[in-house]
Amino acid sequence: MATLKDIAKELGVSVATVSYALTGRGSVSPAMREKVQATVERLGYQPNRKAQAMRTGITRCIGLIIPDLTNPFFPQLAQKIEFEARAAGLSVFVVDCQNQAEHEDEGLNLMEQQQVDGVIWCPTGNRSTQRLARLHCPVVLVDRPLPGFDAVHSDYHAGGQLLAQHAIELGHSNVGLISGPQETESARLRRAGFLEAARGRITIAWEESVPFSSELTLSARDALARNKASLVVAGNDLIAVGALDELRKLGKRVPEDVSLMGFDDIPWAALITPTLTTIRQPIAALAHEALSLLTAKMKDRTRPVSTRVVGVSLVQRNSAISAKR
């Protein structure tokens, strides 16, 4: 395997010059950087990450802790973050917590063992705060913000408002609400936005709070069986998929008998029948902002805590139609 010395000898320059050209440090001309890069590719040089980490204390690796990779939203998010990280010269160490607090603890321990330079984390709940504080590297929360930590998330409140406004436009005045877990800030904000925009125009016929899963609780299934509302609004697309399945089992047609809306715009939303009206979260933008904020924090840990919020949009499909039918 080629070494820095081999590259330097080939070009007739010092090892320091080659190192500066590869790391972006020092006063190396653009022409020399190009020569070094071309020689690196020709000789097949691969940097020794372990040696670099021991020398500099920088691993060029970040951690990504995801709550549930069976939810299609999170594999999409992980893929976009990995793409952004690779473009920045970073490797990504991924942990799937499977919505289990003990797995989240294990993930934290693994991040510390791997000595990652920073962590992007989507917490399973508010009890993650103490774990986050234990990390000795910058942390950016994505999708699920917590007070006191850098975070990037969609405008959930605005998304909830968009769903309510669309429901009003379609003439739905009686709505069933299957909210996400209210201990999660993202679920609370979606619900709050919907209720705020619905006030005085929509009656909430019934409401259930369930996990972000297609496996509905017994009380949610019972509520659907008793449903007298013309529209059911779900806390996310997985919940909506579970509601669609349950309504079919009950012999109710969507949208002919009851309309349905979700939140997230996971790939399934455009593939199921009927296709799902939902709120689209801009996953690429979330990933870009999360990595941008993390790398900024890695360079300067004294930066004040900040939150970046990205916009959302309504996607109208076939699962929600006019109440006047």
Side-chain angles (χ1 to χ4, degrees):
M1 183 180 293
T3 65
L4 287 181
K5 289 183 179 180
D6 296 329
I7 307 296
K9 182 178 180 180
E10 184 79 9
L11 293 172
V13 298
S14 67
V15 171
T17 297
V18 174
S19 178
Y20 290 153
L22 292 175
T23 60
R25 300 195 304 269
S27 55
V28 178
S29 69
M32 177 55 69
R33 291 186 197 280
E34 289 183 9
K35 288 181 180 179
V36 169
Q37 190 58 46
T39 305
V40 162
E41 293 175 2
R42 180 163 53 83
L43 297 183
Y45 168 75
Q46 295 291 331
N48 188 325
R49 296 293 191 190
K50 287 186 178 180
Q52 288 179 350
M54 290 179 65
R55 185 172 65 254
T56 65
I58 298 173
T59 62
R60 303 296 295 172
C61 180
I62 63 170
L64 175 59
I65 304 182
I66 295 294
D68 180 17
L69 285 175
T70 64
N71 181 340
F73 174 82
F74 292 113
Q76 278 189 293
L77 180 63
Q79 184 182 54
K80 296 297 184 183
I81 289 174
E82 197 280 332
F83 175 82
E84 292 282 342
R86 187 160 14 105
L90 300 170
S91 300
V92 182
F93 183 72
V94 182
V95 171
D96 175 14
C97 294
Q98 301 173 345
N99 280 321
Q100 300 295 318
E102 59 269 24
H103 294 335
E104 202 166 43
D105 281 331
E106 292 169 4
L108 170 62
N109 293 334
L110 286 170
M111 296 301 166
E112 292 175 333
Q113 292 169 16
Q114 294 295 322
Q115 297 181 310
V116 296
D117 297 331
V119 172
I120 295 176
W121 195 331
C122 182
T124 57
N126 290 346
R127 62 189 300 273
S128 302
T129 303
Q130 292 181 342
R131 300 188 193 95
L132 289 166
R134 283 168 46 198
L135 278 174
H136 300 296
C137 65
V139 179
V140 170
L141 305 184
V142 65
D143 187 58
R144 299 177 183 178
L146 291 173
F149 294 94
D150 292 281
V152 175
H153 64 87
S154 295
D155 194 338
Y156 304 117
H157 192 271
Q161 290 179 317
L162 286 173
L163 288 176
Q165 290 163 7
H166 188 50
I168 292 168
E169 290 168 359
L170 292 175
H172 293 282
S173 58
N174 203 35
V175 172
L177 203 57
I178 310 182
S179 305
Q182 293 304 290
E183 67 274 13
T184 303
E185 182 72 3
S186 61
R188 284 200 300 269
L189 289 172
R190 297 174 197 200
R191 177 182 182 275
F194 184 89
L195 294 178
E196 181 180 298
R199 188 174 298 121
R201 303 290 299 277
I202 292 175
T203 298
I204 304 302
W206 53 267
E207 180 179 2
E208 293 291 333
S209 177
V210 302
F212 282 136
S213 168
S214 60
E215 297 293 328
L216 300 184
T217 61
L218 177 59
S219 60
R221 296 199 302 273
D222 287 343
L224 287 171
R226 299 189 307 268
N227 180 53
K228 300 298 182 181
S230 62
L231 167 68
V232 173
V233 176
N236 78 347
D237 290 347
L238 274 185
I239 296 172
V241 168
L244 177 62
D245 182 58
E246 186 63 24
L247 287 166
R248 282 177 174 162
K249 291 176 181 176
L250 293 167
K252 298 182 180 182
R253 300 168 301 165
V254 176
E256 293 84 358
D257 298 326
V258 57
S259 289
L260 180 66
M261 296 182 188
F263 201 114
D264 283 346
D265 196 28
I266 62 176
W268 296 357
L271 300 175
I272 60 175
T273 302
T275 54
L276 185 64
T277 291
T278 186
I279 296 297
R280 176 173 294 159
Q281 291 204 61
I283 294 179
L286 287 170
H288 176 78
E289 292 297 332
L291 193 72
S292 172
L293 185 54
L294 182 64
T295 53
K297 201 77 172 184
M298 285 159 55
K299 292 177 182 176
D300 180 10
R301 297 197 182 192
T302 65
R303 285 173 59 95
V305 171
S306 65
T307 297
R308 299 181 184 179
V309 181
V310 299
V312 297
S313 58
L314 175 71
V315 181
Q316 299 181 42
R317 296 197 179 100
N318 300 329
S319 67
I321 60 176
S322 171
K324 299 173 182 178
R325 54 186 184 269

